[in-house]
């Protein structure tokens, strides 16, 4: 399940990409499949171990184009162990809402991105996120949870003040917002509730089968209740 639109963030052979806060690696895997060199970066060693194992499996399975590389690095977004201007692209998908000092993380993204390079920044959309916070306090108070709700205007202003040129944006995962509303209504940790289980099964089916009906429905829902907003920004050329 990809949040970033790779038509807007083109990657391929010879392009070096940082997947900041890679989590389970969904974007890193897609970048590698497209032939780029990807660094999957996260604080969680167990997540990185799984991502590294998948990189190996993809290579053995013939999914990695010749010359493309995937590596994992552990660290914090507030002080990344990378050289200045080292990446052509940066992906930060659902990361900044977890970081109290988000401006430092934005400055680090700016620092490691090459002049003329592009970053895709995704955060939870304001309205779906606000509903989740209202329905269940545990949704955002758990350790490592969300510390803020961004408006698109706030996210754009902060990134612009960091030095980025603001580009296009879009919303994603319109079918996922109702699932989280259900989860928050019945208790965000209540995975066994019949309604939550049923909707989760629907989402898994949709991800696996991708039928035309749900693709059309999500396209219509995304601008209204898309769970994530994706903003593309550029570091000015030197």
């Amino acid at each position: 399940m990809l949040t970033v639109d790779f038509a807007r963030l083109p990657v391929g052979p010879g392009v070096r990409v940082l997947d900041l806060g890679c989590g389970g690696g969904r974007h890193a895997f897609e970048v590698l499949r497209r032939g780029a060199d990807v660094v999957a970066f996260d604080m969680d060693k167990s997540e990185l171990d799984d991502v590294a194992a998948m990189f190996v499996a993809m290579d053995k399975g013939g999914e990695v184009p010749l010359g493309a590389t995937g590596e994992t690095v552990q660290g914090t977004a507030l002080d990344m162990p990378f050289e200045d201007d080292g990446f052509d692209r940066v992906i930060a998908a659902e990361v900044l809402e977890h970081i109290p000092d988000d401006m430092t993380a934005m400055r680090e993204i700016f620092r490691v991105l090459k002049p003329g390079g592009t970053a895709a920044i995704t955060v939870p959309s304001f309205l779906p996120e606000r509903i989740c916070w209202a329905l269940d306090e545990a949704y955002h108070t758990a350790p490592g949870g969300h510390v803020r709700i961004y408006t698109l205007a706030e996210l754009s202003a902060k990134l612009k003040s960091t030095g980025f040129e603001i580009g296009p944006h879009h919303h994603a995962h319109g079918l996922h917002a109702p699932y989280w509303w259900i989860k928050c209504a019945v208790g965000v940790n209540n995975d066994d509730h019949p309604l939550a289980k049923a909707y989760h099964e629907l989402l898994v089916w949709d991800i696996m089968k991708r039928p035309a009906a749900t693709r059309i429905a999500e396209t219509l829902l995304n601008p209204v209740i898309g769970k994530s907003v994706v903003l593309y920004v550029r570091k000015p050329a030197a």
Side-chain angles (χ1 to χ4, degrees):
M1 183 186 71
L2 300 175
T3 306
V4 171
D5 178 2
F6 285 98
R8 300 174 190 248
L9 189 80
V11 300
V15 175
R16 190 170 186 235
V17 182
L18 173 65
D19 186 2
L20 169 60
C22 65
R26 57 198 174 104
H27 288 106
F29 302 147
E30 182 64 20
V31 169
L32 190 58
R33 288 188 186 98
R34 291 171 178 259
D37 301 318
V38 62
V39 176
F41 183 74
D42 204 281
M43 293 179 62
D44 190 328
K45 184 179 183 301
S46 63
E47 293 266 39
L48 291 175
D49 288 344
D50 291 342
V51 171
M54 181 59 74
F55 283 160
V56 172
M58 289 172 62
D59 189 37
K60 290 181 177 178
E63 295 184 59
V64 180
L66 184 64
T69 62
E71 65 174 302
T72 59
V73 176
Q74 186 178 11
T76 170
L78 302 180
D79 185 19
M80 291 192 281
F82 305 118
E83 69 278 16
D84 296 354
D85 306 334
F87 293 93
D88 302 288
R89 307 281 185 269
V90 175
I91 297 169
E94 312 299 294
V95 173
L96 294 177
E97 69 274 11
H98 295 274
I99 302 175
D101 187 3
D102 60 339
M103 292 295 292
T104 294
M106 291 178 189
R107 286 191 289 269
E108 277 290 275
I109 294 170
F110 188 86
R111 179 183 68 79
V112 303
L113 190 62
K114 290 181 180 178
T118 306
I121 312 294
T122 97
V123 298
S125 300
F126 178 82
L127 177 60
E129 185 75 350
R130 186 68 190 87
I131 293 172
C132 287
W133 283 45
L135 288 172
D136 189 357
E137 186 177 358
Y139 171 81
H140 67 94
T141 57
H146 299 178
V147 299
R148 71 178 58 79
I149 304 176
Y150 286 102
T151 63
L152 178 59
E154 178 191 358
L155 180 63
S156 299
K158 285 185 171 182
L159 289 165
K160 185 175 182 179
S161 73
T162 305
F164 285 107
E165 297 172 349
I166 306 303
H169 73 275
H170 62 86
H171 292 79
H173 311 315
L175 291 176
H176 289 247
Y179 169 69
W180 285 103
W181 296 340
I182 292 168
K183 286 272 288 179
C184 289
V186 302
V188 72
N189 296 313
N190 185 4
D191 295 329
D192 293 327
H193 191 280
L195 187 55
K197 288 179 68 175
Y199 202 103
H200 183 264
E201 290 173 1
L202 170 65
L203 292 178
V204 172
W205 172 80
D206 175 58
I207 291 169
M208 298 300 294
K209 300 297 185 180
R210 298 188 63 81
T214 56
R215 295 302 89 221
I216 294 170
E218 184 150 84
T219 298
L220 295 173
L221 289 172
N222 279 344
V224 182
I225 59 168
K227 185 70 172 65
S228 299
V229 59
V230 190
L231 180 61
Y232 301 88
V233 296
R234 179 177 178 271
K235 182 175 180 175

